[in-house]
Amino acid sequence: MKRYRPHILVVIALAIVLSTGWHGALRNALTDLRFAWQSREATGKVVVVAIDAPSIDQIGVWPWPRRLHADLLHRLQAAGAGDIAFDVDFSTPSDPASDDAFVKALRDAGGSTILPSFKQPTPNGGAAHVNRPLKPFSNQSWPAVVNVAVESDGLVRRYPFGEKLGDALMPSMAVVLAGQDANRRSPFLIDFGIRAASIPSVSYVDVLRGDAAALDKLRDKKIIIGATALELGDRFSVPNGKIVSGPVLQALAAESILQGRMLRWTSDIGMIMGLGVICLLMMYSWRRFAPGIRVAVLIAAGAAIELAAAFVQARWSLVIDTSLFHIAIIAYLTAIALDEIDFRGLLGRIAESRFHRIAMSLGDGLVCTDENHRITVWNPGASAIFGYTPAEMIGRPFETLCAMPVAEGDTRPSMHDAARQALLVPGGAVVVEFEGRRKNGETLPVEASFSGWQGTDGFQYGAILRDISVRKREAERVKYLAEHDALTGLANRNTLQARLVGMIADAERQPREVALLVIGLDGFRQINNMLGHSAGDHVLRAVAERLRIEVDGKAVVARLGGDEFAIALDCAEAGEPLAAFAERIARAFETPLATGTRQHRVRISIGIAAYPEGGHNADDLLSNGHLALSRAKATRRGGHVLFEAVIRQELENRLTLESELALAADRGEFELFYQPQVRLIDGSLVGAEALIRWRHPVRGYVSPGEFMPVVNSSALSERIANWVMETACRQARDWELSGNGVRVAINLSPSQLHSGDLANSVAALLESTGLTPSLLELEVTEDILLHDEDRVLAMFKRIQELGVRILFDDFGTGYASLSYLKKFPLDGLKIDRSFVFGLLANSDDAAIVGSTIGLSKQLGLTVVAEGIENRATADFLVSMGCEEGQGYFFGRPMPAEAFDRQFLVTGLDVVTAA
């Protein structure tokens, strides 16, 4: 038995290794070592377009809009790139415009683009979820799977030809890129002898901006686009301690295929033969040769087989598994050592030395104690944390490190308890936190991971110690950012809502009023536009500080976002009536805000919602407070409005009216009426003003004063205004064709000037209808001229060049009407009915009208008087030199058919100035 004991040991060792799978780890290590010996250059046919740190710095935080990927595809196509593979997730939609741009780019690429699919494990351990590109993307691209198997040691070695997703086999990305067939082929070993650094790489942002040097590298190359930046986390561990990004791993796999380096294991027959040879050799030589000769033979045999395996792996795509052969050699060497060496003593010394090296090299603190909890080991990491040297701490109690030892009756576990508990926990580790004290007296939070074991001298304990001060500070900072506004330091919306919930709960138990003031800055957008967002941020911080000072800790001040703030107030603790409190807050902003070298005058409007009348919960108070703020901005800028149910009712009525107006536009319920405009000197018809009317299916005709304000401030404005202009022009063209040159006046909507090129629209309408331009007259009001004067001025000049007249409507009612006569190219003006109505009885009105007519004649402008209701007023206007007029005296607004009958067939009675 003693003769065969070494060989039995080898058999047992091989059996253990085979049953536990340890030989796989050795096999992998040997293969990896051969990769380190063999260095190959990449072919250069595969280029990585890297989403790297410079790209993220210049473009912005990931993920990027897909329009950037679309632009990149166009750049790659223009550069003459070959197949293009994205290692980027396209399984979820982004904004529609970007997605549409990417679909178009894929279509333009002509099917040469590869998009990834991948399996993603579910958190509850169920079936893996398959992420596929969105349908519009997949219809224009080649599918490929990007999953790779991570082996038990955390490394990626094998690469699949494809993977079954659902009922279909989908090829892997590198396989598609290399043009290989994925059917019925098992995974291969990637050749990590190909140096990752030799794979060409260009930066995403360089390609995107059209860098010539970067684009030259891409011609006729296969492209892989993906994240290489560390912060994006797409990293894989590969043999020999290297870490590569996902796109580089795909490129290595593609290079392995292109170079014919799809490595595969050889069969086990050669291994079995090698084991037989080494066993026969050892059986023959065991007692015939000295131990040194046997050791030399074993080492030589191991080196020879490994060199042969390395040669084969370098020349051919074969990997010889020599793991069991080496294990047999190690087992024989062990058997020789057991015969010749005091192996047990050697192991003890090695273990002790190893423990000492590990303990002294740990970055964390390591402290070991005996069964009486006196320190026996103190490493440099512990010295760095607490400031004590090993000589100062060896032999002292562990609890010397605690700032506050656990007193009798305290429910917190002591260090002794935690250490003893570690003996009972599977795995032998208990983690506790305690407040430690440094040698200089400074305290700090410490995390200790205790373990215990049975030593030769009784129970012993060890603790890994970490200074968690930074972690605690970061946790506090995250908590602060979650509860506060980052710019102003005020509470954020979530914190405000939580505080409101608490206040309302208290008010339910002990009835009292809780108020929410929603505060908006008036004119803040102008500060941002004129001075920039940095100045705007300074103003917001100054507003926050002033609000904080005014409430003086008696209320919660929060920033809701943008230029909106809020104050949550328990009225019982305010010490003053709610209205007085709101007025005080508003008056506080009469004093300018100082921000650096500038001072800003900022007014605020306040909307107030008070529990319980203004809402029964926090959401209601926030919603109703915003409604009250909207009312304040519309009616009482610089003041406050208390929410009432009528405010919400008005909003609901407006929303209902908007909905009905949209339906009216779809159903064609709008009509145009025409009011005659006459030459006052002889009463002859010169034109008609087109006025919109709404024939409601239930209410009949609805007054324009009721629905037009809603139309002008809604999304329907441009649609309805364009309908009015087109309908009026077609009617004017019908009258022109019938021999009646009736000039039609149309009121312009602000939306028509702000949404597009009005001059082009007018020109296109004149061309499509055939209307003579001089028969079209556009009436503009002051609110149109207020904004973007240079743009409006240029547009009016282009419209007048078409031959279309432009009149200033409602003259005299605005703030700067005279300045507009000077600035803008106008053909005439209309005197507002408010001056004409009292012309005969009010000398001031007569003076204003007379002056306006005189000024207009000097400027060469036509004057049209509105609101003429009797002959005396018409005659008086003629005597003052007014040329044209309109009003109920000449005719009310009426449908086109009635206008035809009354004015174009029978004519109009002459009005004289007799």
Side-chain angles (χ1 to χ4, degrees):
M1 176 61 71
K2 186 175 180 180
R3 177 181 179 184
Y4 295 103
R5 187 169 58 190
H7 314 296
I8 294 173
L9 175 63
V10 171
V11 172
I12 293 173
L14 291 174
I16 292 173
V17 166
L18 287 171
S19 63
T20 57
W22 292 346
H23 71 291
L26 179 58
R27 177 188 63 186
N28 290 334
L30 292 170
T31 306
D32 298 346
L33 188 60
R34 295 169 201 157
F35 288 141
W37 294 343
Q38 304 161 9
S39 179
R40 297 176 183 273
E41 293 289 328
T43 62
K45 297 178 180 179
V46 181
V47 180
V48 173
V49 175
I51 301 174
D52 51 10
S55 299
I56 294 175
D57 288 342
Q58 295 186 41
I59 296 175
V61 177
W62 181 266
W64 297 331
R66 290 193 177 131
R67 60 180 174 76
L68 296 181
H69 298 325
D71 294 343
L72 185 78
L73 268 178
H74 290 309
R75 289 286 189 185
L76 293 173
Q77 289 294 315
D83 293 335
I84 301 167
F86 276 92
D87 191 5
V88 177
D89 186 6
F90 291 98
S91 62
T92 56
S94 64
D95 64 282
S98 289
D99 285 352
D100 291 344
F102 189 60
V103 170
K104 183 179 182 302
L106 291 172
R107 189 183 302 115
D108 294 343
S112 64
T113 308
I114 305 164
L115 296 186
S117 298
F118 56 91
K119 286 183 178 179
Q120 188 170 358
T122 54
N124 57 6
H129 174 70
V130 178
N131 285 3
R132 302 174 186 270
L134 295 173
K135 189 71 174 177
F137 301 159
S138 61
N139 288 342
Q140 306 295 332
S141 62
W142 289 95
V145 66
V146 294
N147 286 103
V148 291
V150 179
E151 298 187 5
S152 58
D153 59 357
L155 303 184
V156 174
R157 293 184 177 86
R158 292 175 175 80
Y159 191 84
F161 272 86
E163 189 166 352
K164 200 166 187 179
L165 299 182
D167 296 330
L169 178 67
M170 184 177 293
S172 293
M173 178 174 285
V175 173
V176 177
L177 205 60
Q180 293 290 312
D181 181 13
N183 291 323
R184 299 183 303 278
R185 303 182 74 172
S186 58
F188 63 88
L189 291 171
I190 299 173
D191 186 358
F192 288 105
I194 300 172
R195 293 192 300 108
S198 68
I199 295 175
S201 176
V202 297
S203 180
Y204 188 107
V205 71
D206 289 343
V207 178
L208 199 61
R209 67 189 181 191
D211 182 81
L215 294 177
D216 286 345
K217 296 179 180 179
L218 306 177
R219 186 173 303 278
D220 299 325
K221 298 297 191 294
K222 300 176 184 293
I223 308 299
I224 298 178
I225 303 161
T228 63
L230 285 174
E231 52 267 41
L232 298 184
D234 185 16
R235 320 289 288 178
F236 295 93
S237 296
V238 297
N240 297 319
K242 296 178 182 177
I243 298 176
V244 298
S245 63
V248 173
L249 182 65
Q250 299 290 341
L252 286 171
E255 283 285 350
S256 297
I257 298 173
L258 292 172
Q259 295 188 32
R261 297 291 299 169
M262 296 175 286
L263 304 177
R264 300 187 182 279
W265 299 106
T266 57
S267 67
D268 295 333
I269 297 175
M271 175 65 68
I272 294 172
M273 292 176 62
L275 287 175
V277 170
I278 198 68
C279 287
L280 290 174
L281 182 61
M282 286 296 104
M283 289 177 68
Y284 173 77
S285 63
W286 195 259
R287 296 303 175 191
R288 290 182 174 87
F289 298 101
I293 296 176
R294 280 178 278 151
V295 169
V297 169
L298 289 170
I299 293 175
I305 192 66
E306 194 55 39
L307 288 173
F311 177 78
V312 170
Q313 186 171 318
R315 292 292 302 274
W316 298 283
S317 58
L318 294 175
V319 179
I320 298 175
D321 180 6
T322 60
S323 58
L324 293 180
F325 189 85
H326 288 296
I327 289 169
I329 291 175
I330 293 170
Y332 275 120
L333 290 173
T334 303
I336 295 172
L338 289 174
D339 276 352
E340 304 295 331
I341 303 172
D342 181 6
F343 200 65
R344 183 174 180 179
L346 178 61
L347 287 178
R349 290 191 297 273
I350 291 173
E352 183 179 350
S353 174
R354 183 185 179 194
F355 172 79
H356 182 77
R357 288 198 305 272
I358 293 174
M360 295 302 110
S361 63
L362 277 178
D364 294 327
L366 174 63
V367 177
C368 295
T369 70
D370 59 20
E371 60 182 348
N372 296 318
H373 305 287
R374 293 190 175 276
I375 297 172
T376 58
V377 175
W378 181 268
N379 80 334
S383 295
I385 295 173
F386 292 96
Y388 293 103
T389 64
E392 292 174 308
M393 293 306 297
I394 298 297
R396 297 181 66 181
F398 182 88
E399 290 199 350
T400 304
L401 305 177
C402 300
M404 296 177 61
V406 178
E408 185 176 353
D410 197 332
T411 57
R412 294 176 300 160
S414 68
M415 297 300 104
H416 293 182
D417 295 334
R420 283 192 293 268
Q421 188 180 355
L423 295 172
L424 306 176
V425 175
V430 172
V431 178
V432 297
E433 290 184 13
F434 67 94
E435 187 175 11
R437 186 184 301 278
R438 291 192 172 102
K439 182 179 180 180
N440 60 10
E442 178 186 348
T443 60
L444 72 159
V446 179
E447 179 185 82
S449 177
F450 285 96
S451 58
W453 62 91
Q454 176 64 53
T456 56
D457 298 326
F459 286 115
Q460 297 180 15
Y461 304 97
I464 300 293
L465 306 177
R466 293 186 180 89
D467 179 355
I468 56 174
S469 303
V470 174
R471 186 201 304 174
K472 290 285 188 180
R473 287 196 296 270
E474 285 300 315
E476 291 171 0
R477 179 174 175 273
V478 169
K479 183 175 183 294
Y480 178 86
L481 292 176
E483 297 176 349
H484 294 79
D485 174 57
L487 176 65
T488 63
L490 297 178
N492 61 16
R493 179 185 290 270
N494 293 335
T495 303
L496 172 71
Q497 190 151 5
R499 296 291 294 275
L500 269 178
V501 169
M503 289 182 180
I504 293 172
D506 292 341
E508 289 175 346
R509 290 191 294 270
Q510 186 176 356
R512 58 180 182 273
E513 197 174 40
V514 174
L516 177 68
L517 286 69
V518 180
I519 301 168
L521 308 187
D522 298 334
F524 179 72
R525 180 177 297 178
Q526 282 78 4
I527 294 175
N528 267 345
N529 292 342
M530 290 187 298
L531 303 178
H533 288 276
S534 177
D537 289 345
H538 285 300
V539 170
L540 291 174
R541 282 192 284 264
V543 169
E545 183 59 27
R546 185 157 297 179
L547 290 175
R548 192 185 288 114
I549 292 171
E550 288 300 318
V551 303
D552 194 22
K554 298 176 181 178
V556 179
V557 184
R559 182 182 176 213
L560 299 178
D563 62 348
E564 287 190 358
F565 297 81
I567 299 175
L569 177 69
D570 187 333
C571 296
E573 300 177 1
E576 59 185 319
L578 180 57
F581 178 82
E583 290 174 3
R584 179 166 62 82
I585 296 296
R587 284 198 308 272
F589 287 87
E590 293 176 358
T591 305
L593 296 170
T595 58
T597 59
R598 286 185 176 272
Q599 288 192 335
H600 301 273
R601 289 191 176 273
V602 176
R603 288 197 313 171
I604 64 171
S605 298
I606 304 174
I608 307 173
Y611 168 87
E613 290 81 3
H616 293 282
N617 56 52
D619 288 333
D620 289 347
L621 290 182
L622 278 166
S623 175
N624 294 336
H626 275 98
L627 291 180
L629 174 61
S630 298
R631 171 62 64 87
K633 282 181 174 289
T635 61
R636 296 193 60 190
R637 279 188 176 266
H640 68 272
V641 169
L642 180 65
F643 173 80
E644 298 173 328
V646 67
I647 295 177
R648 182 170 290 278
Q649 185 61 49
E650 289 176 0
L651 175 63
E652 292 175 354
N653 292 343
R654 176 186 173 88
L655 294 176
T656 301
L657 185 57
E658 283 186 3
S659 177
E660 289 183 339
L661 286 169
L663 289 174
D666 294 336
R667 295 170 179 170
E669 294 175 5
F670 293 113
E671 301 177 4
L672 279 190
F673 279 26
Y674 299 88
Q675 185 175 24
Q677 296 176 335
V678 303
R679 184 176 293 107
L680 295 179
I681 193 68
D682 58 8
S684 59
L685 181 72
V686 295
E689 181 176 5
L691 301 168
I692 190 169
R693 294 294 184 268
W694 177 18
R695 188 195 295 269
H696 193 281
V698 176
R699 299 163 56 190
Y701 282 109
V702 182
S703 168
E706 179 180 346
F707 71 85
M708 281 308 295
V710 176
V711 168
N712 289 335
S713 60
S714 72
L716 292 170
S717 177
E718 183 181 1
R719 176 184 175 186
I720 292 177
N722 290 339
W723 175 84
V724 169
M725 181 179 288
E726 181 177 354
T727 304
C729 287
R730 295 193 184 281
Q731 182 60 62
R733 178 58 177 166
D734 290 344
W735 285 333
E736 183 182 11
L737 292 175
S738 65
N740 298 294
V742 180
R743 187 184 69 210
V744 175
I746 300 169
N747 292 290
L748 280 182
S749 166
S751 62
Q752 290 177 288
L753 275 86
H754 301 153
S755 62
D757 192 333
L758 179 63
N760 281 346
S761 301
V762 172
L765 186 58
L766 291 174
E767 182 177 355
S768 65
T769 60
L771 178 65
T772 300
S774 61
L775 296 180
L776 177 61
E777 189 172 84
L778 303 181
E779 297 183 1
V780 299
T781 53
E782 185 174 359
D783 58 343
I784 289 178
L785 305 179
L786 274 173
H787 304 290
D788 202 356
E789 291 185 355
D790 293 339
R791 178 173 173 271
V792 173
L793 175 62
M795 192 175 297
F796 281 178
K797 287 181 178 178
R798 291 169 57 199
I799 291 174
Q800 283 187 321
E801 291 171 358
L802 297 174
V804 176
R805 287 166 49 85
I806 300 177
L807 265 69
F808 191 180
D809 196 10
D810 298 336
F811 181 79
T813 61
Y815 292 100
S817 298
L818 289 176
S819 66
Y820 293 143
L821 297 182
K822 177 181 178 182
K823 290 181 182 178
F824 291 94
L826 301 171
D827 296 293
L829 56 85
K830 297 183 75 173
I831 301 176
D832 187 71
R833 67 181 70 249
S834 62
F835 298 104
V836 176
F837 183 77
L839 186 63
L840 299 177
N842 191 314
S843 60
D844 292 338
D845 286 348
I848 292 172
V849 172
S851 299
T852 301
I853 293 172
L855 177 64
S856 300
K857 286 184 174 295
Q858 293 181 17
L859 296 175
L861 302 177
T862 302
V863 180
V864 181
E866 295 182 296
I868 302 174
E869 298 192 358
N870 53 62
R871 183 178 294 278
T873 302
D875 291 344
F876 189 36
L877 286 167
V878 170
S879 69
M880 298 176 76
C882 185
E883 301 170 354
E884 299 179 7
Q886 69 183 78
Y888 286 176
F889 177 65
F890 305 111
R892 293 175 177 271
M894 61 192 74
E897 297 81 2
F899 191 92
D900 286 345
R901 291 193 302 271
Q902 186 170 344
F903 298 105
L904 302 184
V905 178
T906 62
L908 182 66
D909 291 339
V910 175
V911 179
T912 69

